[in-house]
Amino acid sequence: MTTRLQSLPKIELHLHIEGTLEPEMMFALSKKNNIPLPYKSIEEVKEAYNFHNLQSFLDLYYAGASVLVGREDFFSLTWAYLLKCKENNVVHTEIFFDPQTHTQRGVNLEDVIGGISDAMKKADEELGISSYLIACILRHLSQEEGIETLKSLIPYKDKIIAIGLDSSEVGHPPSKFKTLFSLAKQEGFLLVAHAGEEGDSGYIWEALELGVSRIDHGVRCTEDAKLVQYLKQKHIPLTVCPLSNLKLKVFKHPSEHNLVELLRQGLCVTINSDDPSYFGGYMNDNFRLIVENFDLSEEEMVDLSVNAIKASFLPQNKKEKLMQQVQNFKNVTKS
Ligand code: ADE
Ligand code: ZN
């Protein structure tokens, strides 16, 4: 199964580029940019990654992101992630970034978007990996601040496919951003939002009211049978992140995760890595956790990639090409 898992073409739809910052790069950039970190060594960073909830993770995630300053830093970060995609046989990825995490520190938006986009272009040309960029609004900040950020993103419309919503969920429901999401839609952006990670199923209903195409996480949908039926009937994808959910104690044990239950009920669930440097694994590790704990069949493993192709923002012709790659994988006789 491990070699089959490696060769399955994978599509990632929930990945925060700031969450791919490995401790080694964090230390190197801290030194280069003269930005102090609250850790003495790489080992100390790794020891600190012992989270008890979303906020305890976010505090370290924002502290880590403070070492990213210049265009070249955003390029290096993104290029390193795209090399991991190659290793994990991820053939298409839709990458989140948090503009406010950087602009609030005085970093130029042009450098953030420019550095990330340069790496994405290089990966397309040299690694054959396609990608899109999604700008997430920080929900712990005000809607007004979010709208200012949205306005600053308009000149980069050609580089950004969608607007998302992330950061501290509880206390910051999707309805707080109704005007912002309506403006983003008018500007032609697609919409996604984190909901139902720590927030209850009501947050998912609210995200749907904003007009999102996908729900990021959404695992708390199982608290509401009507919602599960709705997600199924409307084919609303959930971008689920198993290792993240375990590290942030959304589920206590891998066997308690509800991804496979939702898959077997016919929902469009997908597997993703969220913040792989902080949660202990990239795409293959997230797939492996589920495959091994639930005795997933090869057909079900393939369904997860098919779901992700359908849920992606790729045009129909590109989706068909990826479907063909998955079909080719299925046609290879098992050794
Ligand atoms: N930002 C980065 N990772 C996140 C997550 N899992 N939930 C909310 N905001 C995030
Ligand atoms: Zn996330």
Side-chain angles (χ1 to χ4, degrees):
M1 185 53 101
T2 312
T3 30
R4 291 296 283 164
L5 180 51
Q6 166 62 31
S7 51
L8 173 71
K10 286 163 228 83
I11 294 85
E12 175 141 74
L13 304 176
H14 184 157
L15 178 282
H16 301 262
I17 200 64
E18 296 87 351
T20 67
L21 180 59
E22 292 288 346
E24 290 74 10
M25 190 182 283
M26 195 192 287
F27 259 76
L29 292 180
S30 153
K31 204 168 162 198
K32 170 175 125 16
N33 295 327
N34 202 16
I35 293 170
L37 283 170
Y39 316 104
K40 285 197 199 75
S41 64
I42 288 171
E43 289 65 42
E44 212 178 293
V45 182
K46 291 180 182 167
E47 277 163 28
Y49 292 176
N50 219 333
F51 313 114
H52 51 275
N53 60 15
L54 176 58
Q55 194 58 52
S56 64
F57 151 70
L58 288 171
D59 292 343
L60 297 198
Y61 163 92
Y62 293 127
S66 70
V67 303
L68 298 160
V69 178
R71 183 175 178 130
E72 69 285 4
D73 302 342
F74 289 92
F75 174 84
S76 305
L77 176 74
T78 310
W79 181 245
Y81 162 65
L82 290 161
L83 289 174
K84 288 281 187 190
C85 285
K86 191 73 190 167
E87 256 178 65
N88 284 253
N89 204 20
V90 171
V91 293
H92 174 72
T93 175
E94 304 192 352
I95 302 173
F96 294 139
F97 76 111
D98 291 339
Q100 291 155 297
T101 298
H102 312 299
T103 54
Q104 277 197 327
R105 301 179 285 118
V107 171
N108 274 332
L109 191 58
E110 170 71 25
D111 290 337
V112 179
I113 298 175
I116 298 173
S117 305
D118 289 348
M120 289 165 61
K121 184 166 179 281
K122 185 173 159 84
D124 193 25
E125 292 166 356
E126 296 180 16
L127 307 175
I129 297 171
S130 59
S131 56
Y132 287 144
L133 190 54
I134 299 174
C136 285
I137 299 298
L138 297 181
R139 68 202 309 159
H140 68 272
L141 300 179
S142 70
Q143 171 162 252
E144 290 64 38
E145 287 166 291
I147 289 173
E148 281 313 302
T149 300
L150 174 66
K151 287 183 184 158
S152 71
L153 294 169
I154 292 171
Y156 301 98
K157 240 186 215 178
D158 60 324
K159 293 197 159 63
I160 298 170
I161 194 150
I163 298 296
L165 185 65
D166 68 359
S167 193
S168 324
E169 186 178 10
V170 176
H172 304 285
S175 55
K176 177 177 162 185
F177 296 92
K178 222 172 151 182
T179 307
L180 185 152
F181 270 70
S182 143
L183 289 171
K185 191 176 176 184
Q186 275 174 37
E187 289 295 338
F189 291 107
L190 294 167
L191 308 174
V192 295
H194 282 53
E197 178 185 17
E198 275 191 350
D200 64 27
S201 51
Y203 283 65
I204 303 175
W205 283 118
E206 282 196 13
L208 293 170
E209 273 172 41
L210 294 180
V212 298
S213 306
R214 310 193 285 247
I215 298 285
D216 296 315
H217 293 294
V219 288
R220 287 193 64 182
C221 68
T222 36
E223 292 164 5
D224 178 345
K226 266 198 189 144
L227 175 57
V228 172
Q229 275 319 302
Y230 184 88
L231 295 170
K232 181 179 172 174
Q233 274 164 13
K234 301 278 180 193
H235 307 287
I236 310 232
L238 302 183
T239 64
V240 182
C241 310
L243 274 171
S244 162
N245 294 155
L246 283 169
K247 294 280 174 182
L248 301 187
K249 315 276 193 274
V250 174
F251 297 97
K252 288 195 197 77
H253 189 270
S255 64
E256 287 172 23
H257 203 290
N258 60 7
L259 182 144
V260 176
E261 174 193 332
L262 291 167
L263 178 72
R264 290 179 181 160
Q265 283 185 55
L267 271 78
C268 184
V269 290
T270 65
I271 288 189
N272 308 273
S273 69
D274 206 4
D275 301 284
S277 160
Y278 291 86
F279 300 144
Y282 288 78
M283 281 289 267
N284 283 347
D285 301 307
N286 276 277
F287 266 81
R288 197 173 303 114
L289 184 85
I290 293 298
V291 168
E292 287 175 357
N293 276 280
F294 291 90
D295 203 14
L296 217 66
S297 68
E298 178 157 323
E299 219 164 292
E300 288 175 313
M301 207 169 81
V302 167
D303 287 343
L304 288 162
S305 275
V306 168
N307 282 351
I309 295 169
K310 288 183 186 161
S312 76
F313 290 142
L314 285 165
Q316 196 52 36
N317 64 331
K318 296 249 171 75
K319 284 187 179 184
E320 280 161 19
K321 273 196 179 155
L322 291 188
M323 288 291 188
Q324 192 54 55
Q325 282 192 41
V326 172
Q327 192 56 47
N328 294 344
F329 165 84
K330 279 170 77 174
N331 292 343
V332 173
T333 16
K334 284 183 242 172
S335 52

